[in-house]
Amino acid sequence: MRAAPESTGTVEARRGRLLRVLGVGFGLAVTIGNTIGAGILRAPGEVAAQLPSVWLFLGVWVLGGLYALLGAIQVAELGTMLPRSGGQYVFARHALGSYAGFVVGWSDWLSTCGATAAVAIVVGEYTGVLLPALAPYATSLAASTAVAFGLLQWRGVVWGSRAQNLTSLLKMLAFLALVVACFALGGEARGETTPLAATSTETAVPAGQALLVALVVALQAVIFTYDGWTGVIYFSEEVRDPARDLPRSLLGGVLSVIAIYLLVNLALLYVLPLREMSGENLAAGAAAQKIFGSRGDQIIRLLTVVSMLSSINALQLMATRVLFSMSRDGLSSARTTAVNRGGTPTAALFVSTLVAVLFILGGKRFETVIAVLSFFFVVNYTLSFISLFVLRRREPQAERPFRAWGYPYTTALALLGSLAFLVAAILGDTRVSLYALLLLAASYPVFALMKRGTMNDER
């Protein structure tokens, strides 16, 4: 009598492969978890300082969202054409070669590990403020949080995805609670009978070249706040139906983030005049203090801690997939290709968590490293959009379950937007940009050594 055939998941688990167990729900959760963070609590003050006009203020948030949506349309084609876990590294390596893939992969992996550390540090510090008895242990709390999520993910991708779904849901509920509180209690806190007073301004709106500069600076802050919408493509081969679910996750996730950001900004405008919001390091905190008084700071810190948990889980999941994919392609040690029965690349997870903890223990000293690596996030977008042009020309007959709407015009627009942002970043912070360019110049010898090392490992 023949044995019943094993399920696909069982066979893949036994062989130590990534498992196709993720759906649209996870795709939306990881997009929201990876994108929405402390940025939306801080950026409105910076944008208000540059654009003291309600319509310009809201318009730049819409424009940043449209840029993200435009990018998502292009990445959806690449993700469905090349459904392999690893993020934008996969596109750059396939279209532009191993060296381009190396630059994208290593910069993405290190900056993601660093972002994990930065977010965990905020969790540790804010927990110490909320619970003063824990304040002396802020660094230990940060490291313990990163390790705790690493241990959870070690059990398997299903555990990691459940944690992502739960923490992202808590994040959305927390932000929606803030929005409801602003609209429900904002009128009394504002002391006005009409919300129009909250949007009045006494600051002159810049004109001409000054307006253009202000728009660029404000848009930079907004685009940084939207960064993270590519989350689901780090798990492309773990999605059950990538042809259907990747576009839905990318586009649905970006639209959800746009809606949440606009709601938050409208709620802040309902409570704070732009002149009061302008320059606020934590605009949401200022609004909370108006509504809740002395308890406002604690409420915002609690909101931040809750929202950061989903970010930590998402970032660790993503960093693990980048390192695993590079190792599988011979651009990192083959030792980090090990996958357990639960579908977790365990060695890659261990190394990624270890690097994040080392960043945490380094404290403020690693901030310059992260600033330099963050320069590459726009470089990676730029290379992805170039990859789409290259693959359309080089592989016209390749299967594309989703084709970018409006190609080549929308792709060119997304590429031009990335190039413009890159030029603005170089002009805006020449020192960091110079370090980034020096790091890029030094990367080729490292790439050559890495390739030689992996060839020796194979022998």
Side-chain angles (χ1 to χ4, degrees), residues 70 84 102 108 131 185 216 249 375 396 430:
L70 201 61
R84 301 182 74 223
F102 175 83
D108 193 13
L131 302 172
L185 306 174
V216 170
S249 298
F375 173 89
T430 306

Side-chain angles (χ1 to χ4, degrees), residues 9-357:
T10 302
V11 173
E12 290 182 342
R14 189 182 64 198
R15 294 176 180 172
R17 298 178 180 176
L18 299 179
L19 308 181
R20 287 191 180 274
V21 295
L22 304 177
V24 175
F26 171 80
L28 294 173
V30 77
T31 300
I32 291 170
N34 186 44
T35 305
I36 301 176
I40 186 56
L41 304 177
R42 300 177 181 275
E46 183 178 346
V47 175
Q50 297 295 329
L51 301 171
S53 159
V54 174
W55 299 113
L56 288 175
F57 174 85
L58 291 175
V60 80
W61 284 98
V62 173
L63 189 60
L66 290 176
Y67 169 76
L69 187 61
L70 201 61
I73 292 170
Q74 318 311 315
V75 170
E77 174 172 329
L78 291 168
T80 55
M81 178 186 173
L82 303 168
R84 301 182 74 223
S85 294
Q88 296 181 86
Y89 153 77
V90 174
F91 312 148
R93 179 183 176 278
H94 185 82
L96 306 174
S98 294
Y99 176 57
F102 175 83
V103 171
V104 171
W106 278 101
S107 64
D108 193 13
W109 178 68
L110 282 174
S111 60
T112 304
C113 291
T116 303
V119 173
I121 287 172
V122 172
V123 170
E125 290 177 347
Y126 279 24
T127 302
V129 174
L130 292 169
L131 302 172
L134 298 178
Y137 310 104
T139 300
S140 298
L141 283 169
S144 298
T145 303
V147 171
F149 277 108
L151 291 174
L152 182 68
Q153 293 171 20
W154 196 283
R155 299 201 61 178
V157 65
V158 172
W159 285 81
S161 65
R162 286 174 180 169
Q164 192 61 52
N165 293 342
L166 177 60
T167 54
S168 293
L169 176 62
L170 290 175
K171 173 182 287 192
M172 285 190 66
L173 292 176
F175 273 97
L176 289 175
L178 174 65
V179 170
V180 170
C182 285
F183 284 119
L185 306 174
E188 181 180 348
R190 198 177 61 243
E192 302 285 349
T193 57
T194 172
L196 292 177
T199 60
S200 64
T201 178
E202 296 173 359
T203 307
V205 178
Q209 186 175 354
L211 176 59
L212 181 61
V213 172
L215 281 169
V216 170
V217 173
L219 195 55
Q220 278 184 288
V222 169
I223 290 177
F224 269 115
T225 307
Y226 273 106
D227 182 41
W229 51 265
T230 55
V232 69
I233 63 169
Y234 289 78
F235 313 92
S236 296
E237 68 190 85
E238 296 161 85
V239 173
R240 283 188 293 267
D241 186 354
R244 181 194 67 181
D245 294 346
L246 285 179
R248 291 183 179 183
S249 298
L250 279 164
L251 302 180
V254 170
L255 290 173
S256 297
V257 172
I258 293 172
I260 292 170
Y261 281 0
L262 288 179
L263 280 174
V264 170
N265 279 294
L266 287 169
L268 295 179
L269 286 173
Y270 191 81
V271 178
L272 294 173
L274 274 178
R275 63 178 178 275
E276 291 185 25
M277 193 189 305
S278 176
E280 276 285 349
N281 289 330
L282 196 61
Q289 285 184 341
K290 272 205 167 189
I291 296 172
F292 302 109
S294 60
R295 294 176 298 171
D297 179 69
Q298 289 183 316
I299 290 171
I300 288 300
R301 288 182 187 273
L302 179 60
L303 170 63
T304 303
V305 170
V306 170
S307 67
M308 293 296 99
L309 295 178
S310 66
S311 299
I312 293 173
N313 191 63
L315 289 165
Q316 284 187 268
L317 284 167
M318 291 160 54
T320 299
R321 269 62 184 178
V322 175
L323 184 57
F324 166 79
S325 187
M326 293 184 69
S327 302
R328 186 170 56 181
D329 294 336
L331 295 180
S332 183
S333 172
R335 294 180 178 89
T336 49
T337 58
V339 179
N340 68 10
R341 291 179 63 86
T344 295
T346 47
L349 174 61
F350 175 78
V351 174
S352 300
T353 304
L354 177 62
V355 170
V357 169

